[in-house]
Amino acid sequence: LNGFPQWPNDSRGAKLILFDSHAQTRRWFPLINKRIVRVAVSFHQSEYRRGVDISFPAPAVNPAQRSMQRRQELQSCKKPNRRFLISFVGRLVMSRIRQKLGTLDNGKDIIFRTKEDMVELNSSFKSALANSEFAAVPRGDALFSYRFAEVLSYGAIPVIYADGWVLPFSEILNYSEFAVVISERDYARTREILERYSKEERCKMRTRAYDIYWSRMASTGAILQTVVDILDSRLK
């Protein structure tokens, strides 16, 4: 990279924005200086340069389709409670926290299973998200998870288990409005923590989660616009 004339390896180069959607730029740390804005999906708080770097969400792989009916149901809070208090459908062996969360599955309102195991519940990945009040976003091999944006797209409240992760767009988003962050060591208290939220609070958080996805994360254009908004806010 230092061989490129545009790469700012000294005080003369123009500031560049480096996008990392696969948590790979750690290997470039010796080359990164204050003239480079690193926009990445998997910042740990110890490496994040506040006011310089930007944490952004990994795009959803299996998002819900946009639905005015779902939006109205979320806002009105008139639809009966969703079937599951919290769910996670995916690989449970990618990290210790996923393995631990798997022990919370009770086969009723707390579901942590692989896609194959959902058959006995007459459910699936998509139907589980659509019928969950909260949905788990545990870290995988890296701190981030593609599940984060998917959860928002279904109007579920993300429950994040990823100690030290700099949350996407946290510079301009108030996570207390639409998400729950649980320390990995407190995973066993998940039910206790979630049941503190009233039905009204859950409705507001789910509506906010849905709106944030469609305004900030639903497309490459929306994500890039939010990055621009953050950079612009720093100039004011």
Side-chain angles (χ1 to χ4, degrees), residues 6 15 29 31 54 60 72 82 124 128 136 154 158 198 215 225:
Q6 296 87 358
K15 181 168 285 190
F29 275 3
L31 301 176
I54 297 174
Q72 291 172 344
R82 294 186 173 192
S124 65
Y154 278 88
S198 68
S215 63
Q225 182 59 57

Side-chain angles (χ1 to χ4, degrees), residues 188-204:
R189 297 178 56 223
T190 292
R191 177 186 289 279
E192 171 196 342
I193 292 171
L194 300 186
E195 288 185 340
R196 294 174 184 171
Y197 293 89
S198 68
K199 179 180 179 180
E200 291 71 22
E201 289 174 317
R202 296 180 192 183
C203 286
K204 290 180 180 178

Side-chain angles (χ1 to χ4, degrees), residues 90-106:
R91 288 186 288 176
L92 296 173
V93 296
M94 294 179 68
S95 61
R96 287 186 178 181
I97 184 58
R98 291 195 181 194
Q99 295 170 16
K100 291 177 179 178
L101 288 170
T103 66
L104 301 182
D105 185 298
N106 62 11

